[in-house]
Amino acid sequence: MLRAVTSDPAGSFEDPRTKLRSSRLDVPNVPARIFSLLLTVCCAACSGGGSGATQPTLKSIQISPASANILPGQNLQFQATGTYSDGSTDDITMQASWVSSQTSAVNIGASGQASALATGSTVIRAQLAGVMATATLSVAPSTWHVARYEAEAGMLSGAAAVVGAADGSDRAVGDLGGEASGRRAVTLIGAGDSVAWTVAASEASANAVVLRFSIPDAPGGGGLSGSLDLAIANKNGASRFADSLQLTSRYSWLYGGVMDGTKLYDVPANATTYATAATPTHLYDEIQLKLPIVLAAGDTITLSRNMAAAFGVIAVDFVELETVPAALTPASGYLSLTDPRCGAIALDLRNSNSVFDGADDSSYGSVFNAVIGINPYNPASFSVQEKVTYSTNPASDALQDTVASAASAGMSMFALADHNLHSLQTCLALAAASGSGLAGVFVPPGRYYVRGVLPVPSNIALQGAGMWYSKFTAVDTEAPSAVTVNGRTGIAGLSGNLVISSPTGGSTGVRLSNFAIFGNVTQRDV
């Protein structure tokens, strides 16, 4: 018996080893729904033209994404999924008729790819067999819109209080007010203390939040971890989104001689030993969160201290609202970093419900035990073991984890980082090779753990899908080391980083764009 093959609902994947399907016939370039109809007609004709089974009818269409923001000159591929009367679904992107309501702002082709022409907003319509669905697409100005909401200008509840001088005269080093923007911040002391803001009409298209905050350091240095609750409600008070933002002071609190040319250490004991003093500085850090919703005018954003925050004062400096456009797609002539010839592995280890919830984009390579897997080229084969607290001795912990896992597993965190650096080097070399016809390397959306030095050849581009999408995260090196700077000897953690440089002899015509690098530095060496 011949059987048509339809796409799995919701993009699910069925392992062919776990289920033996009936005999199947794959016909290239013929959509499954159309093939099924042809097959029914054919079989009816073969049996003498009798009445065949009633074909399911199209009942609804879903467009993905349902809403998006892009910039002038960018493209966005829409997808249409049809649901039929028998409950089945099909990808009908190529069969649907696509229309843009504002062709001056957005043009959309027969394949569902939209091209942004000018600033504006449009309704995208997909129609097939009398059934229609819509999506919205906004083309934001080329200038990235960012709006800052200072904490001291927010609505305070509970024991929340403003710190710092009202006239901005607080300049004290190591003071929460003196080191905040505008020299003022809001402190949250007890459970339920909160600060809130109302979204203005000018930020109605924002879909991302950046928070600048401070939490106390551990008594011996090295940082603490905690959380802060985020809630977004509409103007009627109904909840639109809620999450618990994971915070760390691992990358802030530094100690040592302030502005005197000496080092700054993340451990007070090292500062008093190798520097001139143990004055704290650099108390604040930032995290970013891409929202699953688009904010509306009148929405209320609230940050509140929860019961889980067992340490001292949480300081909120500000939040910034950003309108993040859709991810960029590679232009013609770009080789993907995840192409099998390059083999980079995008792997995000934060979403394990123990430390990270996906909001914190600080670097944290050292807080993971290891990445354990059989096949280093297959991300699906990895299992993740994550520490439930931040390490106070990340270099030695990371070294121990690597040694322990290297003997029995395919790849440690360090090996993964080295693998991705090698993938970058390989990809750039392929693109730069004479006669390759390639303009550069494209970094698809994802988080790539990496460390080391990356020389970039001449006349080549390294481009990502956008700084909110394509991210390199540095991984700690194996162990601390004694170093001497300006005649002073100290203990350097040798925190990992990605260093982009030129080859011996230099390079020209290098273009780097649309990706982010998150270092793993916990002290200043100069």
Side-chain angles (χ1 to χ4, degrees):
M1 171 176 103
L2 296 178
R3 184 175 182 181
V5 181
T6 58
S7 59
D8 292 327
S12 61
F13 174 75
E14 184 177 71
D15 190 333
R17 297 171 297 180
T18 62
K19 181 178 179 181
L20 183 60
R21 291 180 171 172
S22 303
S23 300
R24 53 185 279 180
L25 176 62
D26 292 322
V27 179
N29 303 321
V30 178
R33 183 66 56 187
I34 296 176
F35 177 74
S36 180
L37 178 60
L38 292 174
L39 185 61
T40 301
V41 172
C42 178
C43 290
C46 293
S47 62
S51 60
T54 302
Q55 285 297 301
T57 58
L58 181 65
K59 303 299 291 184
S60 64
I61 298 174
Q62 181 179 8
I63 300 178
S64 178
S67 64
N69 299 293
I70 58 177
L71 301 175
Q74 292 184 352
N75 299 325
L76 178 63
Q77 178 64 53
F78 283 94
Q79 181 178 7
T81 301
T83 300
Y84 289 80
S85 57
D86 62 355
S88 64
T89 61
D90 250 345
D91 182 351
I92 58 171
T93 303
M94 300 301 294
Q95 290 76 57
S97 297
W98 295 91
V99 176
S100 168
S101 65
Q102 297 294 331
T103 55
S104 60
V106 175
N107 178 56
I108 189 163
S111 64
Q113 179 169 279
S115 301
L117 305 177
T119 302
S121 182
T122 187
V123 175
I124 300 295
R125 293 196 298 268
Q127 185 170 346
L128 180 64
V131 181
M132 184 181 70
T134 62
T136 58
L137 179 60
S138 297
V139 182
S142 296
T143 302
W144 195 297
H145 183 61
V146 178
R148 177 173 294 181
Y149 288 54
E150 294 284 354
E152 61 268 23
M155 300 171 284
L156 309 186
S157 296
V162 177
V163 294
D167 61 359
S169 61
D170 185 355
R171 295 290 195 273
V173 175
D175 181 76
L176 289 172
E179 299 218 7
S181 67
R183 309 298 177 178
R184 304 178 79 194
V186 167
T187 55
L188 309 178
I189 302 173
D193 291 356
S194 67
V195 56
W197 306 266
T198 300
V199 177
S202 56
E203 282 76 63
S205 64
N207 57 359
V209 174
V210 175
L211 165 65
R212 189 169 194 254
F213 69 94
S214 177
I215 64 175
D217 193 8
L224 291 173
S225 61
S227 61
L228 192 62
D229 288 342
L230 168 68
I232 300 175
N234 65 19
K235 59 184 178 181
N236 297 320
S239 176
R240 298 195 62 206
F241 175 74
D243 202 355
S244 180
L245 305 182
Q246 304 303 307
L247 312 179
T248 178
S249 54
R250 169 169 158 74
Y251 301 97
S252 46
W253 294 84
L254 297 177
Y255 305 88
V258 179
M259 294 183 291
D260 66 354
T262 61
K263 293 184 178 184
L264 294 176
Y265 297 86
D266 65 335
V267 177
N270 285 345
T272 55
T273 301
Y274 301 109
T276 58
T279 306
T281 186
H282 195 65
L283 313 185
Y284 286 89
D285 201 354
E286 296 82 34
I287 61 172
Q288 59 177 207
L289 176 65
K290 179 77 160 52
L291 297 171
I293 62 173
V294 175
L295 295 176
D299 282 353
T300 300
I301 301 173
T302 303
L303 291 172
S304 59
R305 184 174 179 134
N306 54 47
M307 296 296 293
F311 45 78
V313 172
I314 299 177
V316 177
D317 189 1
F318 59 73
V319 295
E320 288 181 338
L321 304 183
E322 298 192 18
T323 301
V324 179
L328 298 172
T329 55
S332 176
Y334 279 73
L335 178 62
S336 173
L337 184 59
T338 56
D339 184 284
R341 290 171 289 176
C342 307
I345 299 172
L347 193 63
D348 197 331
L349 304 180
R350 300 168 302 156
N351 300 304
S352 64
N353 296 320
S354 58
V355 174
F356 302 109
D357 68 347
D360 191 345
D361 268 318
S362 300
S363 303
Y364 30 70
S366 63
V367 304
F368 303 104
N369 282 342
V371 178
I372 309 300
I374 299 172
N375 179 2
Y377 296 94
N378 178 10
S381 72
F382 287 94
S383 63
V384 177
Q385 299 174 339
E386 183 183 337
K387 296 183 179 182
V388 296
T389 59
Y390 286 88
S391 171
T392 57
N393 192 0
S396 62
D397 285 354
L399 174 61
Q400 179 182 0
D401 296 332
T402 295
V403 172
S405 64
S408 59
M411 185 175 285
S412 69
M413 266 309 283
F414 297 138
L416 174 63
D418 292 337
H419 168 84
N420 281 338
L421 179 69
H422 178 72
S423 296
L424 278 164
Q425 294 169 335
T426 300
C427 227
L428 288 170
L430 287 171
S434 176
S436 71
L438 297 172
V441 173
F442 179 75
V443 185
R447 184 174 297 276
Y448 302 84
Y449 292 93
V450 67
R451 65 172 181 169
V453 179
L454 178 67
V456 182
S458 293
N459 303 315
I460 206 72
L462 181 63
Q463 180 204 319
M467 65 182 183
W468 281 83
Y469 301 99
S470 303
K471 303 175 181 181
F472 294 109
T473 295
V475 174
D476 277 354
T477 52
E478 287 89 336
S481 175
V483 298
T484 300
V485 178
N486 296 331
R488 291 179 177 271
T489 300
I491 303 298
L494 295 181
S495 298
N497 225 328
L498 171 62
V499 179
I500 297 179
S501 68
S502 62
T504 302
S507 57
T508 59
V510 173
R511 302 176 303 282
L512 309 173
S513 63
N514 295 298
F515 60 86
I517 301 175
F518 296 93
N520 206 0
V521 175
T522 58
Q523 65 182 37
R524 295 183 180 179
D525 294 333
V526 293

